[in-house]
Amino acid sequence: MVDRRLFNSPVTPPRVLLREDDQSEIIDWIENALGDLKTPQISFEYSTIQVADKDEDDTIRSEVCGVLSNNISLILDITWSGMSNIEALSKKLNVPYLRLDLSLNPFLVLLDEYLDFRNSTDVVLIFEDKTYLDQLLFSWIDTKRMRLVVSEKLDSTVAKKLKKIRPIPNSFALVADTPNMIQLFRKASDEGLVSLPERWNLVFTDFEHKNFDRTLIYGKPINLLTLDEKVCCSLITTTSSFTCPRTFNLQKKFLEGILEEIQQVFLKLKNEGYQVSDSVECEEGFFNQDLSRKFDKLIHDVLKNSDRFFEDRGMIRVKIRGNVEVGTKMSSEVVASFNDDDGIRIAAGKTVKSVRPYYRIGITHALPWSYKEADDDGNYFWTGYCVDFAYKLAHDMQFDFEFVEPIEGTFGEKVNGKWNGVVGDLYRGETDMAITALIMTADREEVIDFIPPYYEQTGISIVMRKPDRKTSLFKFMTVLKLEVWLSIVGALIVTGFMLWFVDKYSPYSARNNKKAYPYPCREFTLKESFWFALTSFTPQGGGEAPKSLSGRTLVAAYWLFVVLMLATFTANLAAFLTVERMQTPVQSLEQLSRQSRINYTVVKESDTHKYFINMKHAEDTLYRMWKELTLNSSTDDSQYRVWDYPIREQYGHILIAINDSNPVSNASEGFRLVNEHMDGDFAFIHDSSEIKYEISRNCNLTEVGEVFAEKPYAVAVQQGSHIQDDLSRAILNLQTNRFFEVLQAKYWNHSMKGDCPNADDNEGITLESLGGVFIATLFGLVLAMLTLVGEVIYYRNKRKKSEEVKSLQIKPSPNNTNKETFNNNIKLIHPETITIGKEFKPLNYNILDSDLIKPPKMLYPRSRNRVHQSNLKNIIGE
């Protein structure tokens, strides 16, 4: 850092003291400028005081006082930071004091104003030359930036460090001339730094920015900050060309211009009769007060009316006019301009978006909270409850973010004294917050802070498979064993035969006692008997019962059998179909621990597994303390005399059963094992929210019992994070607006449950269970139609034969007797081929002589052939 003091001292010979090489060039500028400004009326001579970092204020003051003892007219301060103590001394002694800004401040002011306009709170500055660092630090010592990161170069090592900055800066800026800017930007792009192009600003320190290859920023919203050429033209004394020359140096031209204005001010003072120089003693003498006031007024008038100079925070610098370009897909366009009088002004029809905070959010896989899915192009993206939650927070709090998955571990656990997973990344500052299924625990709160919970209904639950229903169309047939069905068929057959037998041989039956029953009665032939026995199983009943007492006794006994059998079948059918809809055999963790038929497991080394391990240790500790208490001789054991140990030891048994079943490596494997046990004899103990989500997607699974070991999920931030209060307010607003209920409905209620078969206890009997009834009925309908077809065919054939007989004409043969003629005709109407029913009814007996053959009125089947033959014998003889 170099500090200079330039003094007008025509009496004192020149003296130059240099502290650093980086300001030697400025001394040359001053010498050249003062050489060009020599006039007969007034000329400048100067003396230089070097100020080093190790110099104390008293040392510097003594050196300045030594110079003031000579003829002095002005203290000109060109240090980067400004000497506040010397400024205070000059005001005390009424010595004119000016501070000139010969640094990069004009370019940095343009950048600073633009970043403020975009609400950027921090910035990373990368320079082309390390000599710019001092100028920057003293220029931006009072800047509004909360955080300032400066790099004097850009290489692979620096790029890696910049990538690790947390939180990610709001803005990045490259400060260089045009040739170096191209190299810096290409290096930044190659190192992968330009991942957020809208945050990058290229500040050009020359007026050759038109030569910058803008194709490098096409398609990227990168900001280009440049000074207008009017600044260059205002500092150039010649007006022959409006194009800024390639060799133009802004600071040098500014210094020449301001020295010229100072010379003109002193010339006015001299012409007005002021003594422009005098000697001053720091302890006794004072400079001409009127001269100092007049000098300040004239300088103020010059700055007020100048389009080249501007007074900023007590120092004089170049008056700035600048433009801001933003890259688009095919070009770059000016979106804003800046000048010291009006500040940032947005171009017509353009918009400049504010720089939003950018946070890295820790996340890990946990269904349905946060998990990855693939799009149509095969690219994976995060989705889930917490992902939607993060996007909502980003929208409400106006910040951008990226999800960061931990390299080692998942949620985070302490291994060898170090945290891994999401908690570890947050603790080390790799992430700014964690939004995932992260449980609030005391040990985690020692290294990170938690926001009030956003989900308080989670815990541990049990999932099992619903017993698989073995559906069958003839399931109703399985209600009774095969031997029962055969016994029923046998009883039906025996009853049919016995009914026929009783009706035939009982003297009191309608068949054998026609005088008692002169009206038509049902005749129980074998066919009718079997039909009666079969139809007695139907609500319609068997029809007319036998008339004899023995027959009615038989029927009554048979009806009792039918009623009992139907009642038994109905009751067993209802019970049989209800069994498959029964609930799971266990209804709680306690019941699960007491049985041995159903195996169960957990995810190895998960929070659930650790819960059972910790509970088992707690049981062991309590048992040891109980023994020590009851066996202690100094304790009154009568107070603890109980039959049973007062604490139920179930977690030790559960942990043994879990270890015997071998804990699974992940939740997917656990759900797969449950789904594969179709008899419902395997259970998986896991996080209740993930179980509910899996049940919503798999109709075969069901949750058993109540949720236990409830714990909340919360957003985590770094300890003392400045975003903690904002996050708390945002989450409270979301709870008020019932946003979390909407998410819960999305990921748990809107699922496949609507497509699952209804397995409720109020569900009716399914078609699969009684489909055989419909098939049997359909078979009966088809059989009836086939029987109808057979009857129609049989009737048509019989009618055809009848018509053939009717068409015959009986003509007596001259060579035969009447007996032979009648026998030949009789063969045409053989009774066995033309008679149906109970009576002998020739179809065309009118072809015979009615006096010779008269058909009997009522003939039973077994006697009609005999009666018919006897009639024929009486008529035609032997």
Side-chain angles (χ1 to χ4, degrees):
M1 181 177 64
V2 179
D3 202 350
R4 298 288 190 279
R5 298 295 184 275
L6 301 180
F7 304 98
N8 185 320
S9 180
V11 178
T12 303
R15 184 167 55 131
V16 177
L17 299 176
L18 302 178
R19 190 184 68 85
E20 290 182 355
D21 294 338
D22 57 351
Q23 280 195 326
S24 60
E25 186 179 15
I26 297 178
I27 301 301
D28 296 337
W29 295 348
I30 293 175
E31 291 179 352
N32 295 333
L34 294 179
D36 296 336
L37 292 177
K38 287 183 179 180
T39 61
Q41 295 86 0
I42 189 171
S43 61
F44 279 104
E45 293 184 2
Y46 68 94
S47 177
T48 302
I49 296 178
Q50 176 181 337
V51 179
D53 293 339
K54 62 182 179 179
D55 292 342
E56 299 180 356
D57 291 344
D58 294 340
T59 303
I60 299 173
R61 178 186 172 91
S62 62
E63 293 184 10
V64 172
C65 289
V67 177
L68 293 179
S69 60
N70 299 322
N71 287 336
I72 193 71
S73 60
L74 173 68
I75 297 178
L76 196 62
D77 187 355
I78 62 170
T79 58
W80 304 130
S81 62
M83 299 298 298
S84 58
N85 58 339
I86 302 302
E87 182 181 3
L89 178 64
S90 66
K91 290 182 179 180
K92 176 180 178 182
L93 300 177
N94 295 322
V95 177
Y97 174 88
L98 291 179
R99 180 186 173 191
L100 303 183
D101 183 6
L102 300 178
S103 67
L104 292 174
N105 196 42
F107 306 99
L108 300 179
V109 167
L110 175 60
L111 175 62
D112 186 55
E113 293 292 336
Y114 184 62
L115 294 182
D116 279 342
F117 186 82
R118 299 188 67 193
N119 295 324
S120 176
T121 58
D122 56 358
V123 63
V124 173
L125 287 170
I126 303 174
F127 292 94
E128 63 176 335
D129 191 345
K130 65 180 181 179
T131 59
Y132 291 160
L133 295 182
D134 290 341
Q135 303 178 38
L136 166 73
L137 293 178
F138 290 116
S139 174
W140 272 22
I141 195 71
D142 296 327
T143 186
K144 302 175 184 178
R145 303 277 78 74
M146 292 178 60
R147 182 176 62 162
L148 182 65
V149 180
V150 184
S151 177
E152 64 184 31
K153 61 181 179 178
L154 180 60
D155 53 21
S156 298
T157 303
V158 173
K160 292 179 180 179
K161 293 180 179 180
L162 294 178
K163 289 180 181 179
K164 295 181 178 180
I165 295 178
R166 299 292 181 268
I168 293 179
N170 290 142
S171 301
F172 295 82
L174 298 178
V175 183
D177 57 18
T178 301
N180 290 324
M181 181 66 74
I182 297 176
Q183 297 179 4
L184 282 176
F185 183 73
R186 285 178 175 172
K187 183 65 176 178
S189 299
D190 295 340
E191 294 293 338
L193 291 177
V194 193
S195 58
L196 303 170
E198 69 279 357
R199 299 171 180 265
W200 278 77
N201 306 273
L202 310 185
V203 183
F204 292 85
T205 59
D206 60 6
F207 292 87
E208 300 296 322
H209 50 81
K210 291 183 178 179
N211 297 328
F212 179 74
D213 185 7
R214 281 169 168 75
T215 59
L216 297 175
I217 66 171
Y218 289 170
K220 302 176 182 178
I222 294 176
N223 306 281
L224 276 64
L225 283 70
T226 61
L227 291 185
D228 198 299
E229 286 194 353
K230 293 180 181 180
V231 176
C232 174
C233 296
S234 65
L235 294 176
I236 296 178
T237 55
T238 60
T239 58
S240 58
S241 175
F242 292 97
T243 302
C244 194
R246 296 176 60 89
T247 58
F248 179 80
N249 189 304
L250 180 67
Q251 289 83 3
K252 180 179 179 182
K253 289 298 180 182
F254 162 71
L255 180 60
E256 293 174 356
I258 195 64
L259 290 178
E260 182 181 354
E261 293 292 344
I262 292 173
Q263 184 188 43
Q264 294 300 320
V265 168
F266 276 110
L267 183 60
K268 289 181 181 181
L269 292 174
K270 184 176 182 180
N271 293 335
E272 293 181 7
Y274 286 95
Q275 181 179 353
V276 297
S277 62
D278 197 1
S279 60
V280 179
E281 296 295 334
C282 291
E283 303 297 335
E284 300 177 358
F286 295 94
F287 198 76
N288 191 333
Q289 186 175 5
D290 294 336
L291 174 64
S292 177
R293 292 178 178 177
K294 185 66 175 181
F295 179 83
D296 291 341
K297 181 180 182 302
L298 292 176
I299 287 295
H300 179 73
D301 292 340
V302 170
L303 297 178
K304 181 179 179 180
N305 300 319
S306 175
D307 61 348
R308 299 185 297 170
F309 312 117
F310 184 79
E311 186 176 4
D312 181 16
R313 294 178 295 177
M315 63 181 178
I316 302 174
R317 62 169 172 78
V318 175
K319 196 168 189 176
I320 302 173
R321 299 182 185 89
N323 298 315
V324 179
E325 297 181 46
V326 176
T328 61
K329 292 183 178 180
M330 298 301 296
S331 62
S332 63
E333 54 186 17
V334 177
V335 297
S337 61
F338 172 80
N339 61 67
D340 285 316
D341 297 327
D342 301 328
I344 295 290
R345 303 187 66 178
I346 305 301
K350 304 298 181 181
T351 58
V352 174
K353 296 182 180 180
S354 298
V355 178
R356 292 151 56 105
Y358 192 89
Y359 301 124
R360 290 165 58 88
I361 299 178
I363 196 171
T364 188
H365 182 84
L367 284 172
W369 304 97
S370 51
Y371 55 96
K372 287 184 178 180
E373 288 186 350
D375 55 16
D376 297 336
D377 298 331
N379 299 320
Y380 287 92
F381 62 93
W382 285 100
T383 186
Y385 184 103
C386 290
V387 175
D388 293 351
F389 177 32
Y391 278 105
K392 182 62 176 178
L393 283 178
H395 177 269
D396 293 347
M397 297 178 61
Q398 296 295 311
F399 66 82
D400 297 325
F401 67 92
E402 66 172 319
F403 289 118
V404 178
E405 189 174 7
I407 300 177
E408 181 181 359
T410 54
F411 295 102
E413 59 181 1
K414 204 170 186 180
V415 180
N416 297 327
K418 295 183 178 179
W419 284 91
N420 61 13
V422 172
V423 176
D425 288 348
L426 195 60
Y427 171 67
R428 290 186 295 271
E430 294 295 328
T431 56
D432 304 295
M433 68 181 78
I435 302 180
T436 186
L438 191 63
I439 302 171
M440 297 178 63
T441 59
D443 56 344
R444 289 173 178 174
E445 284 189 311
E446 294 178 357
V447 293
I448 59 177
D449 289 340
F450 284 98
I451 309 297
Y454 61 88
Y455 192 89
E456 300 181 359
Q457 301 175 358
T458 187
I460 303 176
S461 185
I462 306 170
V463 63
M464 296 179 63
R465 182 186 172 96
K466 300 175 184 177
D468 189 39
R469 295 186 180 184
K470 299 178 181 179
T471 58
S472 173
L473 293 177
F474 295 92
K475 198 165 190 176
F476 68 95
M477 297 291 293
T478 60
V479 175
L480 302 178
K481 297 294 184 180
L482 178 61
E483 55 269 22
V484 179
W485 285 114
L486 294 178
S487 299
I488 293 174
V489 173
L492 188 150
I493 295 174
V494 171
T495 301
F497 273 111
M498 290 183 65
L499 187 60
W500 166 78
F501 182 82
V502 169
D503 189 75
K504 179 178 180 181
Y505 293 103
S506 175
Y508 296 100
S509 64
R511 177 191 300 186
N512 299 327
N513 192 7
K514 294 182 179 180
K515 291 181 180 182
Y517 306 100
Y519 49 86
C521 296
R522 184 174 186 180
E523 183 179 352
F524 283 89
T525 62
L526 280 176
K527 182 186 71 174
E528 289 297 324
S529 299
F530 284 119
W531 181 253
F532 177 87
L534 181 62
T535 54
S536 294
F537 281 93
T538 65
Q540 185 67 27
E544 185 180 359
K547 302 300 182 182
S548 63
L549 180 60
S550 59
R552 292 186 177 187
T553 303
L554 174 64
V555 169
Y558 180 68
W559 281 348
L560 179 61
F561 166 78
V562 169
V563 169
L564 294 177
M565 192 55 63
L566 289 177
T568 303
F569 178 80
T570 304
N572 281 275
L573 178 62
F576 191 81
L577 296 178
T578 304
V579 169
E580 62 185 14
R581 298 199 306 273
M582 290 179 61
Q583 297 178 343
T584 53
V586 293
Q587 296 299 317
S588 65
L589 180 66
E590 182 179 355
Q591 293 181 7
L592 188 65
S593 63
R594 290 181 176 180
Q595 56 81 46
S596 59
R597 186 182 68 88
I598 300 175
N599 295 325
Y600 46 92
T601 188
V602 298
V603 176
K604 186 177 182 180
E605 297 182 357
S606 63
D607 291 336
T608 304
H609 195 188
K610 293 178 181 177
Y611 169 79
F612 288 112
I613 294 176
N614 295 337
M615 292 298 292
K616 193 263 183 184
H617 291 165
E619 286 182 343
D620 295 342
T621 303
L622 292 175
Y623 182 69
R624 185 177 64 255
M625 295 176 64
W626 169 262
K627 288 195 303 181
E628 294 176 355
L629 180 65
T630 55
L631 298 179
N632 192 345
S633 59
S634 62
T635 305
D636 185 6
D637 59 351
S638 62
Q639 299 179 3
Y640 308 102
R641 190 175 296 135
V642 293
W643 286 104
D644 297 323
Y645 176 55
I647 298 177
R648 183 173 299 156
E649 296 180 286
Q650 66 175 358
Y651 291 98
H653 299 154
I654 292 175
L655 189 60
I656 293 174
I658 289 174
N659 294 331
D660 291 342
S661 299
N662 295 327
V664 295
S665 59
N666 52 61
S668 299
E669 184 179 353
F671 288 116
R672 179 184 60 81
L673 291 175
V674 171
N675 197 47
E676 290 178 352
H677 287 73
M678 304 181 68
D679 294 332
D681 57 351
F682 191 84
F684 180 47
I685 307 175
H686 194 55
D687 180 78
S688 61
S689 59
E690 189 168 351
I691 285 179
K692 291 178 181 178
Y693 177 73
E694 194 68 24
I695 290 175
S696 68
R697 301 172 61 223
N698 191 336
C699 299
N700 297 326
L701 303 181
T702 182
E703 187 177 10
V704 176
E706 299 292 336
V707 177
F708 59 94
E710 293 184 347
K711 50 191 177 296
Y713 287 155
V715 177
V717 296
Q718 297 178 9
Q719 287 188 341
S721 174
H722 66 281
I723 62 176
Q724 185 170 356
D725 294 338
D726 295 336
L727 279 174
S728 298
R729 285 190 293 268
I731 293 176
L732 180 61
N733 292 333
L734 293 179
Q735 290 175 341
T736 304
N737 297 330
R738 306 176 72 88
F739 171 74
F740 297 110
E741 295 182 12
V742 175
L743 285 185
Q744 185 174 355
K746 176 181 179 181
Y747 287 97
W748 281 280
N749 296 347
H750 298 172
S751 60
M752 295 177 57
K753 287 186 177 180
D755 300 330
C756 295
N758 187 10
D760 188 52
D761 291 341
N762 296 325
E763 176 194 1
I765 298 174
T766 61
L767 180 62
E768 290 82 356
S769 299
L770 294 179
V773 177
F774 295 92
I775 293 177
T777 304
L778 181 62
F779 175 76
L781 296 177
V782 173
L783 182 61
M785 296 303 296
L786 295 177
T787 305
L788 175 61
V789 172
E791 289 177 345
V792 171
I793 295 175
Y794 176 78
Y795 177 76
R796 287 182 178 178
N797 293 335
K798 181 178 65 175
R799 186 176 181 181
K800 183 177 179 182
K801 293 181 180 180
S802 176
E803 291 177 353
E804 291 178 355
V805 172
K806 190 175 181 179
S807 63
L808 290 176
Q809 295 181 0
I810 303 177
K811 298 180 182 180
S813 175
N815 300 325
N816 296 329
T817 63
N818 291 334
K819 180 179 179 180
E820 294 175 349
T821 301
F822 183 78
N823 288 334
N824 292 331
N825 291 325
I826 285 299
K827 293 179 180 180
L828 297 176
I829 53 173
H830 195 278
E832 295 181 357
T833 60
I834 62 174
T835 303
I836 60 175
K838 301 178 181 179
E839 300 179 352
F840 173 73
K841 296 179 180 179
L843 295 178
N844 266 313
Y845 62 87
N846 58 341
I847 63 173
L848 304 174
D849 188 354
S850 60
D851 294 330
L852 298 176
I853 303 177
K854 292 182 180 181
K857 294 181 179 180
M858 288 293 293
L859 297 176
Y860 289 97
R862 290 182 59 85
S863 60
R864 59 190 175 192
N865 290 336
R866 182 172 64 253
V867 174
H868 177 60
Q869 293 174 2
S870 62
N871 290 335
L872 291 180
K873 290 179 180 179
N874 295 330
I875 295 173
I876 61 176
E878 296 294 337

